[in-house]
Amino acid sequence: MAKGYWVSIYRSISDPEKLAAYGELAGPAVKAGGGRMLAVGSRVVAYEAGIAERTILIEFDSFEQAVATRESAAYQEALAVLSDAVERDFRIIEGLEDLD
């Protein structure tokens, strides 16, 4: 089964306090959904039209699990707190099947 990944690139952060409050709720929601943080605000080098801003990468055991976590009540609560505090590109992508 192919894994699922959340990829978030923050284009701008207008309210760091709301972002911090979101993080306090989003972290447990992601863990409850089986997500594992692979990169959080790590160093970034952007090429072409990329933006070298805060980038988050979270892995789930399946694409379906990643989507279900995004749609969960706990994560929706975190999004409500985040509100308009950031502009970000958020997507869920399906990984490749294990080729071994």
Side-chain angles (χ1 to χ4, degrees), residues 1-98:
M1 176 181 302
K3 294 184 178 185
Y5 296 89
W6 284 13
V7 181
S8 298
I9 294 102
Y10 288 72
R11 293 190 168 116
S12 66
I13 298 170
S14 60
D15 191 332
E17 290 178 9
K18 282 185 181 178
L19 179 59
Y22 158 83
E24 290 183 21
L25 295 173
V30 167
K31 284 186 181 183
R36 293 172 298 284
M37 301 283 202
L38 299 182
V40 179
S42 303
R43 295 178 2 170
V44 174
V45 176
Y47 295 97
E48 299 171 23
I51 298 170
E53 292 295 333
R54 179 181 172 92
T55 302
I56 311 294
L57 178 63
I58 302 173
E59 179 182 63
F60 292 85
D61 289 334
S62 71
F63 180 79
E64 292 76 16
Q65 186 179 21
V67 171
T69 301
R70 171 66 169 77
E71 296 174 355
S72 71
Y75 189 72
Q76 293 303 307
E77 180 182 351
L79 283 178
V81 168
L82 184 61
S83 180
D84 60 353
V86 301
E87 179 187 348
R88 69 180 180 165
D89 178 352
F90 178 92
R91 60 191 65 212
I92 300 173
I93 61 171
E94 185 175 36
L96 298 174
E97 292 286 339
D98 187 13

